[in-house]
Amino acid sequence: MTDMRKKLYEVIFKADTPSGKAFDVVLIICIVISVGVVMLESVAQIRQNYKTPLVAAEWFFTILFTIEYILRLYCVPSKLKYARSFFGVIDLLSIIPTYLSMIPGVRILRVIRILRVLRIFRVLKLGNHTRQADILRQALYASRQKISVFLCFVLTLVVIIGALMYSIEGPPRENTGFTSIPVSIYWAVVTLTTVGYGDISPQTPAGQFLAAIVMLLGYSIIAVPTGIVTAQIAHDTHKNQIPCPNCKTKKHDSDAVFCKKCGAQLNQCE
Amino acid sequence: MTDMRKKLYEVIFKADTPSGKAFDVVLIICIVISVGVVMLESVAQIRQNYKTPLVAAEWFFTILFTIEYILRLYCVPSKLKYARSFFGVIDLLSIIPTYLSMIPGVRILRVIRILRVLRIFRVLKLGNHTRQADILRQALYASRQKISVFLCFVLTLVVIIGALMYSIEGPPRENTGFTSIPVSIYWAVVTLTTVGYGDISPQTPAGQFLAAIVMLLGYSIIAVPTGIVTAQIAHDTHKNQIPCPNCKTKKHDSDAVFCKKCGAQLNQCE
Amino acid sequence: MTDMRKKLYEVIFKADTPSGKAFDVVLIICIVISVGVVMLESVAQIRQNYKTPLVAAEWFFTILFTIEYILRLYCVPSKLKYARSFFGVIDLLSIIPTYLSMIPGVRILRVIRILRVLRIFRVLKLGNHTRQADILRQALYASRQKISVFLCFVLTLVVIIGALMYSIEGPPRENTGFTSIPVSIYWAVVTLTTVGYGDISPQTPAGQFLAAIVMLLGYSIIAVPTGIVTAQIAHDTHKNQIPCPNCKTKKHDSDAVFCKKCGAQLNQCE
Amino acid sequence: MTDMRKKLYEVIFKADTPSGKAFDVVLIICIVISVGVVMLESVAQIRQNYKTPLVAAEWFFTILFTIEYILRLYCVPSKLKYARSFFGVIDLLSIIPTYLSMIPGVRILRVIRILRVLRIFRVLKLGNHTRQADILRQALYASRQKISVFLCFVLTLVVIIGALMYSIEGPPRENTGFTSIPVSIYWAVVTLTTVGYGDISPQTPAGQFLAAIVMLLGYSIIAVPTGIVTAQIAHDTHKNQIPCPNCKTKKHDSDAVFCKKCGAQLNQCE
């Protein structure tokens, strides 16, 4: 019995064995199709014309994922730890909305099923892209303080710009998009990030002048987050990944001859 | 008496003591809520429906900030220096508009209250994000000449592009957005910065051709400020500028203890 | 006979001889004009007014390119290898649609002729820009894993943002652009990439708030691909990777003759 | 006589003497105001209400710049060389349109006067921003081959994307913006550069799908020019500007001990 659980655990959670890999491939296909079904269901015309096959597919995948969830719960060593883990919660959120939809009046909840798409990362974690993803994650993690300082600065800026623009373009002037400070702040974000929908745009010369300054400002400060992340990635990418033979420290400069932590000589037999 | 002033100074201006930290947290909450009140007040529907609570909240925060301002003036060593400092002026601008609003006909001034949001930086200054903010500030400061040269170039460019576009798309052609050179320059800024509202856009083939060239140009020169700031941040962030005492090698990692070239110990007395 | 084939091969496929260079220049001019003809033909007004010269030019270039294709087939050593190569297929696709257009009812296929524009790269390959193009290609190739990890992350993000926005702004609300999840995902891509058409834009405060967050997010993560590619280009461009024969120092400038560390001569037998 | 010419030359062309500096300051002010006059004149309402002062100001500056041009011609050593130089042509173009405007029917030419704005660079050349501007100019110059390869690639891409989009969204479909291939190429440029006016945007699901791919592509390749320029600026900025004592070569790495060109030891007494 324990043997079967162990084997099931290896098939479902690992990707070392041929059957484990096959399970992952099938799972990815099921996830992609089921997410596609959720998307198609939201298109009014398709929902009306293909109601029966969509409902059938939805229940098919829900039951499949339910079985998978039960099997995962069954074969995992610590059930509680799995159920509380990030992917455990996602697994549950992927199936619950369909069951809840049998109770009338819970339309919005059905959208939660789209979170199934996150389950793809469970499988990708096992691929050989891990190292690259790690470099990106570490670069973002190492930059988190700089980025939060920057975002804090940007948020303050858009509040002030929004208020300024509201006092220039806003009421008592009529037929203007700048109807309130929150809407003007929304405009400031749209402009500073160079998205520029154009649903709200300044009409007065003074407003257009201020907007032009905000754009040139945005053009300049877009450089800051890019600079932060680039400097970090450039720093991390081309480090020597061979650990120090003495203290196992990694991430030496590529021209390093001695370990930066313990001073031992590095054998760069690369 | 002096003792109480000293203690008050530590609570209000510093964040080393528990009471100083508590004061800062309460202040941040008050600032955020009061800024929120100013924002909500500008929404026509909310202003009509919740007039009394909004006015009450506004006066509550104004009186609170007035008391705080008086206490700051009281406990600070040099009153004049504080009153003239950046944050001293902001503190005053945060409270004056409400009092002035009792005099009829000063609607626009009320928006100045939004500058309260800047007071958040007074508190953030005390946090541990200081070093990261310093790196960013220094990178921007070191790049100021390059960026001003670049902005000067961009300003000249948009003037010429605007005039060119005005002569292509402007009058006597009718129903065009390009009604004057200043408006055409505004369009050039909107396009070159890749904001692209679409409130003004070229209609003639010649105008669209020129616009396409301007966009590709903007695409290329957006690289310049990014390059300037990135090069500066990359230079500043990760390198210990203190040379190795033995072989004078510079540019060690900031966590290096031994020289990467000769293995000698670095004295990081920083 | 073989001699003529050999000479023809050198003229058509190589650019070392004066006649080979002349052939390339004539070919580039023909390609550019023929692509221009395809473009002009698509403009309704020009198609009606200049029907005869356009058709004449089209057949002129088609017959010219057909002769060129036959000559290439004739003089190339391995005919099958050429016919299956990338440029062999492009050469064929450049002429077939015109012949097929004599059969009625194949309008869309005619657009394929625009692929002629790709033939320019055949000629550019022989220019002296090759080394620069190689650096860019290698930088993109070396970054392909990081970029695919990043795109995978962005795709997941837009699916979730699209579904979230659909549930906030979508039906039963009417007169909204967010009519289905796929359309909402399209909006998320438009916003996250800072393109911002404005054909679909949020109308509710909650939707505008989410949109503002998505924009600031896009602003931050636009830094990631830039960082990846920049780090790679910076690494590849300016550094001679051959170590100094005396002290093994790497990363000399590409124009260095002597080692920057020990002064020994570098053997740049590259 | 020659003495006066020499002195005049120093005042007008150089900025070393107090009178030379004063001349430059006055010139900058005149240029800025005269450009402002040209801009204001294009605003219909201002042109009608302030016709006389605008015409007066225009003639005032034209006569002033004419005198300046004659003085420059008079005091410069080689008259022909000056008249043919870039700034010589700009100086002439700044005054001719006003004289030509006396001949009826030359409205468009008047816009050329805006080129006066370029004369500002003549004065800025003398400022202390020269070194920073040089770094930027050299970085762009050193990257010119990479950028032209990249632009060539982008141009090919937009032609193919435009043709593809035309065949998806174009005629016989009606009420679509994609009326011809050139217009579709314009759309492709607007989208790929993330400008996104929204004057033309895809309406069909297939078109929106292709547009989303184009945007993600644009998002990725925006990284390339940034990477090119950043790598160049990063390479140039932090070079040691102290020349080699033996062969005067500049631009050594900041950690260089020996000259990369002649192998001589560098005295880094920095």
Side-chain angles (χ1 to χ4, degrees):
Chain A
M1 195 65 179
T2 331
D3 226 43
M4 193 192 134
R5 257 171 78 173
K6 217 168 176 178
K7 204 172 170 201
L8 206 62
Y9 181 76
E10 264 173 25
V11 169
I12 296 184
F13 281 91
K14 306 229 163 153
D16 311 351
T17 56
S19 51
K21 272 184 195 166
F23 178 83
D24 280 357
V25 171
V26 171
L27 189 58
I28 285 189
I29 294 168
C30 287
I31 292 168
V32 169
I33 297 177
S34 75
V35 168
V37 167
V38 174
M39 283 197 211
L40 288 178
E41 212 192 272
S42 74
V43 183
Q45 218 175 346
I46 294 176
R47 190 169 54 233
Q48 282 154 15
N49 294 347
Y50 303 92
K51 191 162 188 173
T52 325
L54 281 173
V55 170
E58 180 52 38
W59 277 105
F60 172 75
F61 287 115
T62 303
I63 289 165
L64 207 73
F65 292 155
T66 309
I67 294 169
E68 186 212 336
Y69 184 68
I70 292 167
L71 285 180
R72 278 183 193 271
L73 260 186
Y74 167 71
C75 72
V76 94
S78 164
K79 282 163 206 2
L80 202 67
K81 202 179 150 200
Y82 164 69
R84 282 181 179 175
S85 72
F86 177 71
F87 281 118
V89 172
I90 295 293
D91 289 348
L92 193 61
L93 285 176
S94 299
I95 50 176
I96 281 189
T98 315
Y99 292 114
L100 283 180
S101 72
M102 287 191 290
I103 309 161
V106 280
R107 196 195 60 86
I108 288 164
L109 272 169
R110 290 176 67 92
V111 167
I112 293 171
R113 290 173 302 162
I114 209 89
L115 291 177
R116 281 171 192 170
V117 79
L118 285 173
R119 302 185 68 216
I120 282 180
F121 284 104
R122 178 208 285 288
V123 188
L124 283 183
K125 250 178 35 178
L126 307 165
N128 57 353
H129 291 283
T130 321
R131 219 192 119 224
Q132 303 299 325
D134 272 358
I135 291 178
L136 291 185
R137 190 162 39 228
Q138 279 169 23
L140 284 174
Y141 185 77
S143 320
R144 72 195 180 287
Q145 278 192 311
K146 281 207 200 71
I147 286 178
S148 64
V149 164
F150 176 73
L151 275 183
C152 190
F153 169 72
V154 167
L155 284 178
T156 312
L157 201 63
V158 294
V159 167
I160 292 171
I161 292 170
L164 200 57
M165 207 67 183
Y166 170 73
S167 64
I168 293 175
E169 291 263 332
R173 193 176 292 278
E174 271 173 41
N175 292 324
T176 167
F178 301 83
T179 49
S180 68
I181 291 182
V183 166
S184 302
I185 291 172
Y186 165 73
W187 170 86
V189 172
V190 168
T191 301
L192 206 66
T193 58
T194 77
V195 170
Y197 284 138
D199 50 350
I200 307 164
S201 64
Q203 307 297 328
T204 63
Q208 291 182 337
F209 184 74
L210 178 61
I213 289 170
V214 171
M215 284 166 214
L216 289 172
L217 205 66
Y219 203 58
S220 296
I221 68 174
I222 205 171
V224 175
T226 306
I228 295 167
V229 176
T230 303
Q232 199 62 47
I233 292 178
H235 184 250
D236 293 354
T237 313
H238 301 296
K239 289 275 177 176
N240 189 346
Q241 292 297 326
I242 303 160
C244 165
N246 181 33
C247 71
K248 307 299 171 206
T249 303
K250 283 184 185 182
K251 294 207 174 181
H252 299 286
D253 279 353
S254 52
D255 61 346
V257 182
F258 294 91
C259 173
K260 65 184 177 183
K261 282 292 178 204
C262 68
Q265 186 154 3
L266 302 168
N267 333 347
Q268 289 181 304
C269 37
E270 182 192 3
Chain B
M1 195 63 181
T2 330
D3 226 41
M4 193 192 135
R5 256 172 78 173
K6 216 168 177 179
K7 207 176 168 197
L8 206 62
Y9 180 77
E10 263 172 25
V11 169
I12 296 184
F13 280 91
K14 304 230 164 153
D16 310 351
T17 56
S19 51
K21 272 185 194 163
F23 178 83
D24 281 357
V25 170
V26 171
L27 189 57
I28 284 190
I29 294 169
C30 287
I31 292 168
V32 169
I33 297 178
S34 75
V35 168
V37 168
V38 175
M39 283 198 211
L40 288 178
E41 210 191 272
S42 74
V43 183
Q45 218 174 348
I46 293 175
R47 190 171 53 233
Q48 283 154 14
N49 294 348
Y50 303 92
K51 193 162 187 173
T52 324
L54 281 173
V55 169
E58 182 52 38
W59 277 106
F60 172 75
F61 287 116
T62 302
I63 289 163
L64 208 73
F65 292 155
T66 309
I67 293 168
E68 187 212 336
Y69 184 68
I70 291 167
L71 285 179
R72 278 183 193 271
L73 261 184
Y74 167 71
C75 72
V76 94
S78 164
K79 282 167 208 355
L80 201 68
K81 202 180 150 199
Y82 164 70
R84 283 180 179 177
S85 72
F86 177 72
F87 281 118
V89 172
I90 296 293
D91 288 349
L92 193 62
L93 286 176
S94 298
I95 49 176
I96 281 189
T98 314
Y99 293 114
L100 284 181
S101 71
M102 287 190 290
I103 310 162
V106 281
R107 196 194 59 88
I108 288 165
L109 274 169
R110 289 177 66 93
V111 167
I112 293 171
R113 291 174 301 162
I114 209 89
L115 291 176
R116 282 172 192 170
V117 79
L118 285 172
R119 303 184 69 216
I120 282 180
F121 284 105
R122 178 208 285 287
V123 187
L124 283 183
K125 251 177 36 175
L126 308 165
N128 57 352
H129 290 285
T130 321
R131 219 191 120 230
Q132 303 298 326
D134 273 357
I135 291 178
L136 291 184
R137 190 161 40 228
Q138 278 167 25
L140 284 175
Y141 184 78
S143 319
R144 74 195 179 289
Q145 279 193 310
K146 282 208 199 69
I147 286 178
S148 65
V149 164
F150 176 73
L151 274 184
C152 190
F153 169 71
V154 167
L155 284 178
T156 311
L157 201 63
V158 295
V159 168
I160 292 171
I161 292 170
L164 200 57
M165 208 67 184
Y166 170 72
S167 63
I168 292 176
E169 292 263 332
R173 196 176 290 279
E174 274 174 37
N175 291 324
T176 166
F178 300 84
T179 50
S180 68
I181 292 182
V183 167
S184 303
I185 291 173
Y186 165 71
W187 169 87
V189 172
V190 169
T191 302
L192 206 67
T193 56
T194 77
V195 170
Y197 284 138
D199 51 350
I200 306 166
S201 64
Q203 306 297 328
T204 63
Q208 292 182 336
F209 184 74
L210 178 61
I213 289 170
V214 171
M215 284 165 212
L216 288 173
L217 205 67
Y219 203 57
S220 296
I221 67 174
I222 205 171
V224 175
T226 307
I228 294 167
V229 177
T230 303
Q232 200 61 47
I233 293 178
H235 183 249
D236 294 353
T237 316
H238 298 296
K239 290 299 164 183
N240 187 344
Q241 293 298 327
I242 303 161
C244 165
N246 181 33
C247 71
K248 307 298 173 205
T249 302
K250 283 183 183 180
K251 294 209 172 179
H252 298 285
D253 278 357
S254 51
D255 60 347
V257 181
F258 292 91
C259 172
K260 64 182 176 181
K261 283 293 177 201
C262 68
Q265 188 155 2
L266 303 168
N267 334 346
Q268 291 181 303
C269 37
E270 182 194 4
Chain C
M1 196 66 180
T2 331
D3 226 44
M4 194 193 135
R5 259 170 78 173
K6 218 166 174 179
K7 207 174 168 200
L8 207 64
Y9 181 77
E10 264 172 24
V11 170
I12 296 184
F13 281 92
K14 305 229 162 152
D16 310 351
T17 57
S19 51
K21 271 184 193 162
F23 178 84
D24 280 358
V25 169
V26 171
L27 189 57
I28 285 189
I29 295 169
C30 287
I31 293 169
V32 168
I33 297 178
S34 75
V35 168
V37 168
V38 174
M39 283 196 209
L40 289 178
E41 211 192 272
S42 74
V43 183
Q45 219 176 345
I46 293 175
R47 190 169 52 232
Q48 283 155 14
N49 293 347
Y50 303 92
K51 193 163 187 173
T52 324
L54 282 173
V55 169
E58 180 53 37
W59 278 105
F60 172 75
F61 287 115
T62 303
I63 289 165
L64 207 74
F65 292 156
T66 309
I67 293 168
E68 186 212 338
Y69 184 69
I70 291 167
L71 284 179
R72 279 184 193 271
L73 261 185
Y74 167 71
C75 72
V76 94
S78 165
K79 282 164 206 0
L80 202 67
K81 204 180 149 197
Y82 164 69
R84 283 182 179 171
S85 73
F86 177 71
F87 280 118
V89 172
I90 295 294
D91 288 348
L92 193 61
L93 286 176
S94 299
I95 50 175
I96 281 190
T98 314
Y99 293 114
L100 283 180
S101 71
M102 286 190 292
I103 310 163
V106 280
R107 196 194 59 88
I108 288 165
L109 272 169
R110 290 175 67 93
V111 167
I112 293 171
R113 291 174 302 162
I114 208 90
L115 291 177
R116 282 172 192 169
V117 78
L118 285 173
R119 301 184 70 215
I120 281 180
F121 284 104
R122 178 208 285 288
V123 188
L124 283 183
K125 250 175 41 175
L126 308 164
N128 57 354
H129 291 284
T130 321
R131 220 190 119 231
Q132 303 298 325
D134 273 357
I135 291 177
L136 291 184
R137 192 162 40 228
Q138 277 167 26
L140 284 174
Y141 184 79
S143 320
R144 73 194 180 289
Q145 280 193 310
K146 282 206 200 69
I147 286 178
S148 65
V149 164
F150 176 73
L151 275 183
C152 190
F153 169 72
V154 166
L155 284 177
T156 311
L157 201 65
V158 294
V159 167
I160 292 171
I161 291 170
L164 201 58
M165 207 67 183
Y166 170 72
S167 64
I168 291 175
E169 290 264 333
R173 193 177 291 277
E174 273 173 38
N175 291 326
T176 166
F178 301 83
T179 50
S180 68
I181 292 181
V183 167
S184 303
I185 291 172
Y186 165 73
W187 170 87
V189 173
V190 169
T191 301
L192 207 66
T193 58
T194 76
V195 170
Y197 283 138
D199 51 348
I200 307 165
S201 64
Q203 307 297 329
T204 62
Q208 292 182 335
F209 184 74
L210 178 60
I213 289 170
V214 171
M215 284 166 215
L216 289 173
L217 205 64
Y219 204 58
S220 296
I221 69 174
I222 206 171
V224 175
T226 306
I228 295 168
V229 176
T230 302
Q232 199 61 48
I233 292 179
H235 184 249
D236 293 353
T237 315
H238 297 295
K239 290 300 165 185
N240 187 345
Q241 293 299 325
I242 302 160
C244 166
N246 180 34
C247 71
K248 306 300 171 206
T249 302
K250 283 184 185 181
K251 295 207 172 181
H252 299 287
D253 278 356
S254 51
D255 60 347
V257 182
F258 293 91
C259 173
K260 65 182 177 184
K261 282 294 177 200
C262 68
Q265 187 155 3
L266 301 169
N267 333 347
Q268 291 181 304
C269 37
E270 183 193 2
Chain D
M1 194 68 179
T2 330
D3 227 45
M4 193 192 136
R5 256 170 79 173
K6 218 167 173 178
K7 202 168 175 206
L8 206 64
Y9 180 78
E10 261 172 26
V11 169
I12 296 185
F13 281 91
K14 305 230 163 153
D16 310 351
T17 57
S19 51
K21 270 185 195 163
F23 179 82
D24 281 356
V25 170
V26 171
L27 190 57
I28 286 191
I29 294 168
C30 286
I31 293 169
V32 168
I33 297 177
S34 75
V35 168
V37 168
V38 175
M39 283 197 211
L40 288 178
E41 209 193 273
S42 74
V43 183
Q45 219 175 347
I46 293 174
R47 192 170 51 233
Q48 283 155 14
N49 294 347
Y50 303 93
K51 195 165 185 168
T52 324
L54 281 173
V55 169
E58 180 52 39
W59 278 105
F60 172 75
F61 287 116
T62 302
I63 288 163
L64 207 73
F65 292 156
T66 308
I67 293 167
E68 186 211 339
Y69 183 69
I70 291 167
L71 285 179
R72 278 183 194 270
L73 261 184
Y74 166 71
C75 71
V76 93
S78 164
K79 282 165 206 0
L80 200 69
K81 202 179 149 200
Y82 164 69
R84 283 181 179 174
S85 72
F86 177 72
F87 281 120
V89 173
I90 295 293
D91 287 350
L92 193 61
L93 286 176
S94 298
I95 49 176
I96 281 191
T98 314
Y99 293 114
L100 283 181
S101 72
M102 287 188 292
I103 310 161
V106 282
R107 195 195 60 87
I108 288 166
L109 274 169
R110 289 175 67 92
V111 166
I112 294 171
R113 291 174 300 162
I114 208 91
L115 291 177
R116 283 172 191 168
V117 79
L118 285 173
R119 302 184 71 215
I120 282 180
F121 284 103
R122 178 206 288 286
V123 188
L124 282 183
K125 251 176 38 175
L126 308 164
N128 58 353
H129 290 284
T130 320
R131 218 190 120 227
Q132 303 299 326
D134 273 355
I135 292 178
L136 291 184
R137 191 162 39 228
Q138 278 168 25
L140 284 174
Y141 184 78
S143 319
R144 74 194 179 287
Q145 279 193 310
K146 282 207 201 67
I147 286 178
S148 65
V149 164
F150 176 73
L151 274 184
C152 190
F153 169 73
V154 166
L155 283 179
T156 312
L157 201 64
V158 294
V159 168
I160 292 172
I161 291 170
L164 200 57
M165 208 66 184
Y166 170 73
S167 64
I168 291 176
E169 291 263 332
R173 193 176 292 278
E174 273 173 38
N175 292 324
T176 166
F178 300 84
T179 50
S180 69
I181 292 182
V183 167
S184 304
I185 290 172
Y186 165 72
W187 169 86
V189 172
V190 168
T191 302
L192 206 66
T193 57
T194 76
V195 170
Y197 285 137
D199 51 349
I200 306 166
S201 64
Q203 306 298 328
T204 63
Q208 292 182 336
F209 185 74
L210 178 61
I213 289 171
V214 170
M215 284 166 213
L216 289 173
L217 205 65
Y219 203 57
S220 296
I221 69 174
I222 206 171
V224 175
T226 306
I228 294 168
V229 177
T230 303
Q232 198 63 45
I233 292 178
H235 183 249
D236 294 354
T237 312
H238 301 296
K239 288 275 173 175
N240 188 344
Q241 292 296 327
I242 303 161
C244 166
N246 181 32
C247 71
K248 307 298 173 206
T249 303
K250 282 184 183 181
K251 294 207 172 179
H252 299 285
D253 278 356
S254 52
D255 61 347
V257 181
F258 293 91
C259 172
K260 64 183 176 181
K261 282 291 177 205
C262 68
Q265 188 154 2
L266 303 168
N267 334 347
Q268 290 182 303
C269 35
E270 178 194 6

